[in-house]
Amino acid sequence: MKYRVVISAWVLAICAAIPPDDVQAQEIATADSVRKYKFLAKTAREKKEYDAAIGYYTALLQYSPNDLKAAFFLGDTYFRTRDFAGARIALRRAVALDSLHLNSNLRLYAVYRAVGAPDSAAMSLERALLKKPSAADHRRKLADLYRREGQSERAIVHYEQLAAAGEDPELFEMLAVLHQELGQTAEALAWRRRQVARGEGGSAQLESIVEMQLETGDIKGAYNSLLELARVDSQNAYSYYSRLAAIAGERSDDSMRVTALKGMVETDPGDLESVATLVQWHQGRGEWAKARIWLERGLQIDPASSPLLLLKGDGLVRAGDEEGAIAVFERARANPDWEQVAQQRIWQLRPPETEEEKLKREFFGGAAAEEQN
């Protein structure tokens, strides 16, 4: 601080010593003072004698008030001493001389960040980018600043410029997230697809894409994404096929539901419930040969599966082999959970003869109807 007082007094003394009417002598003295203080300021700054440097730059600006570099270095020196108020005044003076002065705007950005003034910090970076639009590091700082402050649309503008200039996968992720947060699903989906096209993100990206496709009503796209998921993530393929079956079922899309059911059985041959559904679907369409293929395939896994045995018996009935059907229904009776249904099938082919059997039929018939309902 003592340097600043002494130098200011020195400047005033020099000015007072020059006769007012001696303009030429004053100009020479001023030029000498400018050269002297530039040298002294630079020397002090390079030696990191910041307090002395501040005094010299202050004196220099009194002689040369439009010296842009002096204003910048004064602000920069204040910044290094963590005198942010002084730094802001000096740097704003520099920006007033040249609004696009790169170093002054960058240092102002740092000052405003330090004092918690994000809007002013962003404005400083915006001016820096007007001066040097290709500066990716400055643009990234600005985009990150806008994102942290919740100004997603402004952040997107700069992230997209960065993404156009390079292939940073982190930018793709940020853009997808920001667009999705703004409800701009189509744009978010486009960035997710770019990630997948580059082989990034794996199944997590595809799952996110499925959700966005469903949100936008792109059901066909969701189907394709789930099929792709099942292909690239074989360990979890069953869950993707199951999701596909559920979506197709909600939309009464029998063709896609069957595709999904087949995928479920391929990935989990023990899924006899899906096998039974496939058998019923083919039977309902009169595709007996295809139904029989699935039926036999299921029974190879579990020859005692009552649901499949009942379906087999129904097929034998349609073929006119009632004795064969009864034999199969008898096997289905072995499972207590299906005993009543199987018995009812048998009585439909071979009605009960005794009163006791008739009572049982009435009883079991009612119970079976309730179970089927």
Side-chain angles (χ1 to χ4, degrees):
M1 183 63 70
K2 65 180 181 180
Y3 289 105
R4 303 181 201 179
V5 175
V6 171
I7 291 169
S8 297
W10 188 7
V11 170
L12 293 173
I14 293 174
C15 292
I18 300 174
D21 56 346
D22 193 349
V23 176
Q24 184 176 8
Q26 187 173 357
E27 289 178 351
I28 294 173
T30 298
D32 289 342
S33 296
V34 167
R35 285 192 294 272
K36 177 174 62 178
Y37 286 124
K38 278 186 177 181
F39 172 77
L40 292 172
K42 180 181 179 182
T43 302
R45 178 169 55 84
E46 290 176 347
K47 292 181 178 180
K48 297 183 179 181
E49 296 174 355
Y50 295 134
D51 195 60
I54 287 171
Y56 293 136
Y57 279 122
T58 300
L60 173 58
L61 284 168
Q62 289 178 340
Y63 283 106
S64 181
N66 295 324
D67 191 324
L68 176 61
K69 287 186 177 180
F72 164 70
F73 283 123
L74 177 59
D76 179 68
T77 308
Y78 271 124
F79 179 81
R80 294 176 188 277
T81 63
R82 302 191 64 79
D83 184 347
F84 299 129
R88 184 168 64 250
I89 293 171
L91 291 168
R92 289 179 65 176
R93 179 175 182 173
V95 172
L97 293 170
D98 180 358
S99 63
L100 300 185
H101 186 245
L102 183 62
N103 289 335
S104 293
N105 279 301
L106 291 177
R107 184 55 84 201
L108 262 178
Y109 158 76
V111 170
Y112 286 127
R113 281 292 308 279
V115 300
D119 290 344
S120 296
M123 188 179 299
S124 297
L125 276 183
E126 290 280 11
R127 288 195 297 264
L129 286 170
L130 288 175
K131 180 70 173 183
K132 192 175 182 182
S134 62
D137 53 339
H138 304 329
R139 192 172 298 280
R140 180 59 184 269
K141 288 178 182 177
L142 181 58
D144 289 344
L145 176 58
Y146 280 139
R147 177 175 54 81
R148 286 193 298 268
E149 294 302 313
Q151 300 185 48
S152 298
E153 291 184 348
R154 289 185 174 182
I156 284 172
V157 170
H158 294 285
Y159 282 134
E160 287 186 341
Q161 289 189 52
L162 289 167
E167 294 293 324
D168 185 348
E170 185 182 8
L171 293 176
F172 291 4
E173 174 67 20
M174 285 196 180
L175 283 163
V177 170
L178 288 172
H179 278 298
Q180 195 164 2
E181 288 176 350
L182 291 172
Q184 299 167 350
T185 307
E187 291 84 352
L189 185 55
W191 286 106
R192 291 292 184 200
R193 283 174 173 155
R194 287 184 66 174
Q195 287 180 291
V196 172
R198 288 169 50 84
E200 296 163 354
S203 59
Q205 295 297 351
L206 282 171
E207 288 179 20
S208 179
I209 286 176
V210 170
E211 296 304 321
M212 286 187 281
Q213 287 170 325
L214 291 174
E215 186 178 334
T216 57
D218 183 9
I219 306 305
K220 184 177 180 181
Y223 287 163
N224 291 333
S225 295
L226 284 166
L227 290 171
E228 177 67 8
L229 276 166
R231 186 186 68 80
V232 301
D233 187 5
S234 58
Q235 290 186 339
N236 296 301
Y238 184 90
S239 64
Y240 300 130
Y241 283 125
S242 179
R243 179 82 189 284
L244 180 59
I247 295 170
E250 291 171 358
R251 288 158 177 78
S252 301
D253 188 340
D254 288 344
S255 177
M256 185 54 68
R257 182 166 179 256
V258 168
T259 297
L261 288 168
K262 289 179 179 179
M264 292 166 69
V265 175
E266 291 295 336
T267 54
D268 180 10
D271 180 11
L272 298 183
E273 182 178 349
S274 295
V275 172
T277 302
L278 285 167
V279 173
Q280 289 176 307
W281 189 80
H282 285 299
Q283 286 181 344
R285 293 167 60 87
E287 298 171 351
W288 309 113
K290 292 181 179 179
R292 187 166 55 252
I293 291 172
W294 284 107
L295 186 61
E296 296 305 323
R297 180 172 175 173
L299 287 172
Q300 286 179 357
I301 301 296
D302 182 6
S305 171
S306 293
L308 293 177
L309 288 171
L310 289 169
L311 289 170
K312 182 176 182 179
D314 292 341
L316 291 171
V317 171
R318 291 189 187 92
D321 184 2
E322 293 188 357
E323 291 300 319
I326 289 173
V328 172
F329 291 146
E330 288 288 355
R331 289 168 58 194
R333 287 181 59 195
N335 185 335
D337 294 335
W338 294 92
E339 179 183 4
Q340 296 172 8
V341 177
Q343 181 63 69
Q344 194 64 25
R345 294 281 210 287
I346 294 170
W347 278 332
Q348 288 173 353
L349 298 174
R350 185 183 296 164
E353 298 178 358
T354 66
E355 282 299 318
E356 182 180 356
E357 288 176 333
K358 289 179 181 179
L359 290 172
K360 285 183 177 180
R361 180 183 183 186
E362 291 176 3
F363 174 77
F364 287 136
E370 289 179 5
E371 183 174 333
Q372 288 179 330
N373 290 335

